[in-house]
Amino acid sequence: MEITKLSAIELRDEILKRNLSCYEVAKAFIDNIKKYESYNAVLEIFDDALQNAKVMDKKIAEGFNGKLAGMPVIIKDNILYQDKICSCGSNFLKNYKAEYNSTVVKKLIDEGAIILGRANMDEFAMGSSTENSAFGITHNPIAFDRVPGGSSGGSACAVALDMCPISLGTETGGSVRQPASYCGIYGLKPTYGRISRYGVVAFASSLDQVGIFSKTIEDNALMLEVLAGYDENDETSAKVKVDNYTNLDDAIKTKIGVPIEILNMTKGLECEKNFKNFIEFLKQLNLEIVPVSIKNIELALATYYILAPAEATSNLARFDGVKYTSRSLAAKNLQEIYKQSRSQGFGKEVKRRIMLGNYVLSSGYYDAYYNKAKSVQGLLIEQCNEAFKKCDVLVMPTTLGEAYKIGSKPSDPVETYKEDVFTVTANIVGSPSLSIPFGKGKNNLPLGIQLFGKKFDEKTIYSLAKFIQNNIK
Amino acid sequence: MDLKEIQHLAELSKLEFSKEELENFALDFASLVSLADKIKNANVKSNRVLSSIDLKDLREDDVKESLPTKTVLKNAPVAKKDSFVVPRVVE
C-alpha cells in the first residue's frame, strides 16, 4: 500500500492495528515534503517530528488509542506550537518562537497527531494567493505556474500533494475555502466560535476561525470533532455541544437554498456554468431546491473590506518593536522604534490594510464606514436567518473560476479583493461553510462549490457533502 | 485623497513611506475607497452595532495563573530585570 495515498482515518486505523508504524508514516510524508520542495508549501519541517513519531509508536504499543493516533498534520504558520517558529509569513516574526501551545495544537497532540511542519501563507493571512508571503510564493499543486489560493495556500497545497493527509489553515474571509477550491480538495470554515482561537495570531478577531483541509469528508469531520468545543482561554468560543460529526446522517431530505442574487453575480463568470451544472446535479439526486434571497449579499465584499482592516489595524498594533523579536537597530527613540520596526517588518499588503483600517476608523469616517458596515452585517445576518427558514443549506460557488496565473493580477488591489466575493458572507454572518471540489474550469483545473450551513450545523453540510461525494464516484 | 491625508494615515498607522510609496498608496486608496463607498448605498434604518459574543457568557473575572514573565520576555528584542526595555521616554 502506498502510505501517502491513504486517508487520515485509514492511516490511523492501520497504525492502531500495528500494520504501519507512526515513524514510517511520518517518514513517508516528510519524504514527499522534500520531494515537492519547489512548490514552497512548507516553510519548515519540525526537527522533532520523527522523534515524536517514535515516541507515539511506544505509546500505542502501551495501549494509547487517540482519535488522531500517529496522524501526520501540517499547520499554518500563524498557529502557535510551543518553542517552534511562528512567522505568519512575515519578516517581522521570522525569529519569533511560540511561548505556548495554541488550543488547537494542544488538542492535536493530546489525540496523538504528529505535527510535521508549518505551511506558507500570505503575510498575516492577508491575501488570496499566497503571493504575499515574505518567504516566497507557493505554487498550485496541479498547475505550477498558477497560485494555490490563499491565504492558507501552503496548507492546501500540502494536502493536495500528499505531504500530509490533513492540515490546518485559518479563515477570515475565505482563506481556507478558496485555496481548497483551487487545489481540488475539501476546506471547512467552521461556525464562528466552534474552534478556539487561543494561540492563533489574530487578523480580524470577530471573523477569524481555524479551518480544516482534507481529501475526504470523513477526515475533515473527524478533525472538527477533535478541535471543536468551548475553551475558557477564548471567550468567543461557544458553549454549544459538539456533535458527533463522524456519524453522518442520510442527506436525502436536505433542502437546498439557491440565493437568486448569487445567480446574478455569477453571470459571465467562469463559475457560472459549473454552478448551474451543480444545481442540475442536485436535482438529479432528487434533492429539493428552493430559491431564496439574501438581498444585500452584493454589499458583503465592501462590508468585509471595512470590518477586517479595521480590526487588523488594532490587532497589528502589538507589533511595535518592543515585544515581538523585531526592532529597528537604527531607531533612537520610542516613536522611531515603532515606525521603523513596523515599516521594515511588514510587507506592502499588510501596510495597505493597516492604512485602510485606520482610514475607516478615523474621525469623520467612522460612522460612514465602520458603523455602516456593522449595520450591513446585521442585515446580512437577518437575511441569512430568513433564508434558512426555507432551507437547510445554501449553495454558492467558492471562486470566480480556476486558479489564476502567478503574477497575473493587475496592480489595483481591489481586483484581487474581488476573489473573495463569494466567500466573505460566511465570515460576516458567522456561518459554517465547506468548499467541496466539483467540476473543472476551461483549463481542466478544479472548481469548488460552497455548502453554507446554519450556525453550529456543520453536521448537515458534512452529511450533504458525503452524499454528493458518494454520488460523484 | 491628497498626499497630506495619506501622510496623516501613515502617522496614525506608525508607518513610514518614501515619497514614491506614498504616491502609490494614493492610487491604491482611490480604488480601496471606491470599494468601501459601496456601503453608502445600503439602506439601513439604524446603526445597530452587533457583538460577536453574548456578554452574559463571559467567565468570572478571577485572577488565574498566566504565562510566567520570563517566558513572555523570551521574544523581547531587549529585556532586562523582568521588563521590556525601550529608550528613555521622559526626560
Side-chain angles (χ1 to χ4, degrees), chain A residues 170-218:
Chain A
T170 62
E171 270 250 8
T172 306
S175 285
V176 168
R177 287 163 287 154
Q178 186 250 20
S181 174
Y182 280 1
C183 296
I185 58 176
Y186 292 97
L188 175 80
K189 196 266 326 167
T191 309
Y192 184 78
R194 182 71 295 182
I195 296 179
S196 169
R197 292 181 297 111
Y198 180 66
V200 179
V201 181
F203 163 9
S205 309
S206 80
L207 307 168
D208 295 344
Q209 264 295 285
V210 171
I212 303 161
F213 292 102
S214 67
K215 277 178 284 191
T216 72
I217 284 300
E218 293 84 350

Side-chain angles (χ1 to χ4, degrees), chain A residues 195-248:
Chain A
I195 296 179
S196 169
R197 292 181 297 111
Y198 180 66
V200 179
V201 181
F203 163 9
S205 309
S206 80
L207 307 168
D208 295 344
Q209 264 295 285
V210 171
I212 303 161
F213 292 102
S214 67
K215 277 178 284 191
T216 72
I217 284 300
E218 293 84 350
D219 285 356
N220 210 297
L222 172 68
M223 186 55 90
L224 183 65
E225 205 171 283
V226 168
L227 300 182
Y230 174 71
D231 173 16
E232 69 164 14
N233 288 321
D234 172 8
E235 281 299 307
T236 64
S237 68
K239 288 175 180 159
V240 176
K241 188 178 155 275
V242 177
D243 274 329
N244 179 349
Y245 299 111
T246 42
N247 182 16
L248 296 175

Side-chain angles (χ1 to χ4, degrees), chain A residues 109-404:
Chain A
I109 293 171
D110 286 351
E111 289 296 338
I114 308 297
I115 306 175
L116 300 183
R118 57 189 170 92
N120 200 14
M121 58 183 278
D122 283 308
E123 185 178 5
F124 287 104
M126 296 174 185
S128 312
S129 65
T130 319
E131 291 174 295
N132 294 338
S133 167
F135 309 108
I137 294 165
T138 296
H139 295 261
N140 185 288
I142 302 148
F144 194 79
D145 61 342
R146 290 173 190 259
V147 301
S151 66
S152 314
S155 303
C157 180
V159 167
L161 285 179
D162 301 327
M163 300 180 196
C164 56
I166 195 158
S167 68
L168 301 189
T170 62
E171 270 250 8
T172 306
S175 285
V176 168
R177 287 163 287 154
Q178 186 250 20
S181 174
Y182 280 1
C183 296
I185 58 176
Y186 292 97
L188 175 80
K189 196 266 326 167
T191 309
Y192 184 78
R194 182 71 295 182
I195 296 179
S196 169
R197 292 181 297 111
Y198 180 66
V200 179
V201 181
F203 163 9
S205 309
S206 80
L207 307 168
D208 295 344
Q209 264 295 285
V210 171
I212 303 161
F213 292 102
S214 67
K215 277 178 284 191
T216 72
I217 284 300
E218 293 84 350
D219 285 356
N220 210 297
L222 172 68
M223 186 55 90
L224 183 65
E225 205 171 283
V226 168
L227 300 182
Y230 174 71
D231 173 16
E232 69 164 14
N233 288 321
D234 172 8
E235 281 299 307
T236 64
S237 68
K239 288 175 180 159
V240 176
K241 188 178 155 275
V242 177
D243 274 329
N244 179 349
Y245 299 111
T246 42
N247 182 16
L248 296 175
D249 302 322
D250 183 3
I252 190 70
K253 287 192 176 150
T254 310
K255 262 195 195 174
I256 313 289
V258 178
I260 46 175
E261 295 79 7
I262 292 287
L263 289 173
N264 276 329
M265 287 161 76
T266 56
K267 277 201 177 125
L269 297 175
E270 194 183 356
C271 64
E272 181 183 14
K273 192 172 157 230
N274 190 57
F275 185 51
K276 285 182 177 159
N277 289 346
F278 179 71
I279 296 167
E280 280 309 309
F281 172 75
L282 295 180
K283 282 180 188 163
Q284 283 164 19
L285 297 179
N286 289 322
L287 290 164
E288 189 183 346
I289 315 276
V290 291
V292 295
S293 172
I294 304 169
K295 203 176 133 214
N296 289 112
I297 201 163
E298 282 170 69
L299 290 173
L301 191 68
T303 304
Y304 175 80
Y305 277 98
I306 291 169
L307 297 182
E311 293 189 34
T313 284
S314 312
N315 274 325
L316 270 61
R318 76 192 63 185
F319 301 111
D320 56 3
V322 176
K323 300 185 282 291
Y324 298 98
T325 64
S326 289
R327 174 181 290 188
S328 164
L329 295 171
K332 292 186 195 71
N333 58 47
L334 192 60
Q335 286 298 320
E336 282 185 15
I337 285 179
Y338 294 157
K339 285 185 191 167
Q340 291 179 12
S341 306
R342 289 164 65 79
S343 301
Q344 290 161 16
F346 293 146
K348 192 174 174 187
E349 184 58 31
V350 173
K351 289 176 185 171
R352 191 184 273 145
R353 298 212 196 182
I354 292 173
M355 296 274 281
L356 179 60
N358 273 320
Y359 176 73
V360 299
L361 289 175
S362 59
S363 117
Y365 297 112
Y366 185 89
D367 277 332
Y369 293 114
Y370 184 77
N371 273 346
K372 191 86 184 248
K374 288 301 280 182
S375 306
V376 175
Q377 182 181 28
L379 284 179
L380 288 168
I381 290 171
E382 280 170 14
Q383 290 164 12
C384 284
N385 287 343
E386 275 306 304
F388 280 126
K389 286 180 184 166
K390 295 181 194 157
C391 64
D392 306 306
V393 176
L394 298 171
V395 292
M396 52 188 88
T398 309
T399 61
L400 307 175
E402 294 175 334
Y404 54 91

